[in-house]
């Protein structure tokens, strides 16, 4: 059953019928915003690390460093949640990672140091850097493939407007003239629109493929693959032993003994 659930979970984010699926156009919007967001994430990460290192001698850099680590973790979680919302993935299971009672009586610096994970910080920093690179690359690929398909679809309209307004024939020296193919403009329009629709459909498939790549880069499926213990079970596991210890430590004296009445 676990294997079937994992397979269903992995396939739930795949986009089918890309031309009429809202997930496809949500992905296009996400990739359009990926370029400015990647630049912002990269600038914040580099600036925060540089300031924390430079201000370490006056002690301000130490809490600033832990603050940057928290910020990077928040950025990664924010990106993962956006991808889950776009692909329609369910919310990952919640688990308790630490006991708040053990932090009672500690100052803020000790709590920050206790909650710091070096491996997680390095991973989040690399993910932010990859987010910056993929934001540029994916934005360029998406704009190129979509523009090529939409350009061919809109070519007949542009040609008609230029012919009527400026007497400019952009199809005068087309490929048909080089191969001595005597096609009318209407026949060329049909060919260009057909090729443009095919290229636009391929472009949408490419866009969804880029989102799946981004999904794997950002470790979106990681919470689903890890075994999780429900919150209620963890609370029960922590409270139940205390309850039994309390029952065992209670003195037996002073307890009311059952009374028996003789018939």
């Amino acid at each position: 059953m676990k294997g079937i659930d994992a397979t269903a979970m992995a396939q739930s984010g795949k986009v089918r019928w890309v031309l009429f699926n809202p997930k496809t156009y949500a992905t296009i919007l996400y990739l359009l915003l990926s370029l400015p967001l990647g630049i912002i994430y990269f600038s914040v990460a580099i600036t925060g690390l540089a300031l924390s290192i430079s201000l370490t001698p006056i002690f301000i850099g130490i809490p600033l460093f832990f603050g940057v680590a928290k910020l990077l973790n928040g950025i990664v979680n924010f990106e993962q949640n956006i991808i889950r919302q776009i692909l329609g993935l369910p919310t990952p299971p919640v688990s308790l990672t630490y006991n708040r009672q053990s932090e009672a009586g500690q100052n803020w610096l000790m709590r920050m140091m206790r909650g710091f994970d070096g491996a997680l910080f390095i991973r989040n920093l690399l993910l932010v850097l990859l987010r910056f690179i993929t934001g540029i690359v994916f934005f360029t690929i998406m704009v190129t493939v979509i523009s090529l398909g939409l350009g061919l679809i809109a070519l007949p309209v542009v040609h008609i407007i230029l012919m009527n307004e400026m007497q400019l024939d952009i199809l005068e020296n087309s490929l048909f003239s080089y191969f001595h193919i005597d096609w009318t403009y209407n026949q060329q329009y049909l060919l260009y629109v057909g090729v443009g629709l095919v290229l636009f459909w391929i472009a949408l498939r490419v866009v969804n493929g880029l989102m799946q790549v981004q999904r794997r880069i950002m470790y979106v499926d990681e919470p689903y693959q890890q075994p999780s213990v429900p919150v209620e079970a963890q609370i029960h596991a922590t409270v139940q032993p205390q309850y039994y210890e309390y029952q065992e430590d209670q003195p037996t004296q002073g307890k009311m003994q059952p009374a028996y009445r003789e018939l």
Side-chain angles (χ1 to χ4, degrees), residues 40-144:
I40 293 174
Y41 296 157
F42 180 79
S43 302
V44 170
I46 297 301
T47 304
L49 287 177
L51 287 176
S52 62
I53 294 174
S54 60
L55 296 177
T56 299
I58 57 176
F59 188 72
I60 301 178
I62 297 177
L64 181 60
F65 174 78
F66 292 116
V68 171
K70 287 287 186 181
L71 181 61
L72 293 179
N73 191 30
I75 290 174
V76 173
N77 291 332
F78 174 71
E79 285 291 322
Q80 290 176 345
N81 291 330
I82 289 180
I83 296 175
R84 291 191 187 101
Q85 291 294 327
I86 293 175
L87 297 180
L89 296 174
T91 304
V94 180
S95 60
L96 296 176
T97 56
Y98 63 94
N99 188 6
R100 292 182 179 272
Q101 293 181 356
S102 63
E103 294 184 355
Q106 297 180 357
N107 56 15
W108 59 270
L109 183 59
M110 293 298 296
R111 289 196 298 267
M112 294 177 68
M113 293 178 63
R114 185 181 179 87
F116 177 75
D117 189 352
L120 182 63
F121 168 74
I122 295 175
R123 193 202 73 167
N124 291 336
L125 180 60
L126 292 177
L127 288 180
V128 170
L129 296 178
L130 283 175
R131 181 68 177 78
F132 171 70
I133 297 173
T134 56
I136 298 174
V137 175
F138 291 174
F139 178 85
T140 305
I141 294 175
M142 184 196 66
V143 170
T144 301

Side-chain angles (χ1 to χ4, degrees), residues 15 18 21-34 82-83 85-88 142 204 207-208 211:
V15 179
V18 292
N21 198 318
K23 294 180 183 180
T24 301
Y25 302 99
T27 301
I28 293 176
L29 179 61
Y30 171 79
L31 294 178
L32 285 175
L33 295 176
S34 63
I82 289 180
I83 296 175
Q85 291 294 327
I86 293 175
L87 297 180
M142 184 196 66
L204 295 182
V207 167
N208 289 318
M211 174 57 82

Side-chain angles (χ1 to χ4, degrees), residues 3-257:
I4 296 175
D5 295 340
T7 304
M9 186 72 66
Q11 293 180 353
S12 62
K14 293 184 179 180
V15 179
R16 303 181 185 276
W17 298 97
V18 292
L19 192 60
F20 304 102
N21 198 318
K23 294 180 183 180
T24 301
Y25 302 99
T27 301
I28 293 176
L29 179 61
Y30 171 79
L31 294 178
L32 285 175
L33 295 176
S34 63
L35 180 61
L37 286 178
I39 295 174
I40 293 174
Y41 296 157
F42 180 79
S43 302
V44 170
I46 297 301
T47 304
L49 287 177
L51 287 176
S52 62
I53 294 174
S54 60
L55 296 177
T56 299
I58 57 176
F59 188 72
I60 301 178
I62 297 177
L64 181 60
F65 174 78
F66 292 116
V68 171
K70 287 287 186 181
L71 181 61
L72 293 179
N73 191 30
I75 290 174
V76 173
N77 291 332
F78 174 71
E79 285 291 322
Q80 290 176 345
N81 291 330
I82 289 180
I83 296 175
R84 291 191 187 101
Q85 291 294 327
I86 293 175
L87 297 180
L89 296 174
T91 304
V94 180
S95 60
L96 296 176
T97 56
Y98 63 94
N99 188 6
R100 292 182 179 272
Q101 293 181 356
S102 63
E103 294 184 355
Q106 297 180 357
N107 56 15
W108 59 270
L109 183 59
M110 293 298 296
R111 289 196 298 267
M112 294 177 68
M113 293 178 63
R114 185 181 179 87
F116 177 75
D117 189 352
L120 182 63
F121 168 74
I122 295 175
R123 193 202 73 167
N124 291 336
L125 180 60
L126 292 177
L127 288 180
V128 170
L129 296 178
L130 283 175
R131 181 68 177 78
F132 171 70
I133 297 173
T134 56
I136 298 174
V137 175
F138 291 174
F139 178 85
T140 305
I141 294 175
M142 184 196 66
V143 170
T144 301
V145 295
I146 292 181
S147 299
L148 184 59
L150 292 179
L152 290 176
I153 294 173
L155 181 61
V157 177
V158 175
H159 180 258
I160 293 173
I161 293 175
L162 292 178
M163 286 287 292
N164 294 334
E165 299 296 333
M166 304 177 59
Q167 287 75 41
L168 179 62
D169 188 4
I170 59 176
L171 298 179
E172 182 178 3
N173 297 321
S174 61
L175 292 176
F176 299 97
S177 62
Y178 288 105
F179 292 101
H180 304 285
I181 300 176
D182 190 13
W183 277 17
T184 62
Y185 285 143
N186 291 331
Q187 291 174 331
Q188 295 183 33
Y189 292 162
L190 291 176
L191 179 63
Y192 287 132
V193 171
V195 175
L197 289 174
V198 173
L199 290 179
F200 183 70
W201 179 81
I202 294 175
L204 295 182
R205 300 291 297 182
V206 171
V207 167
N208 289 318
L210 294 177
M211 174 57 82
Q212 295 299 326
V213 173
Q214 188 73 16
R215 170 186 176 181
R216 288 169 173 79
I217 290 176
M218 298 301 296
Y219 292 95
V220 175
D221 295 330
E222 185 180 14
Y224 307 118
Q225 298 171 357
Q226 295 178 353
S228 60
V229 180
V231 178
E232 293 81 1
Q234 293 189 10
I235 295 176
H236 181 74
T238 56
V239 174
Q240 194 71 14
Q242 297 177 2
Y243 174 76
Y244 284 118
E245 289 177 1
Y246 176 78
Q247 292 291 336
E248 293 175 358
D249 293 340
Q250 290 295 323
T252 57
Q253 297 179 358
K255 291 185 177 180
M256 295 181 63
Q257 299 295 329

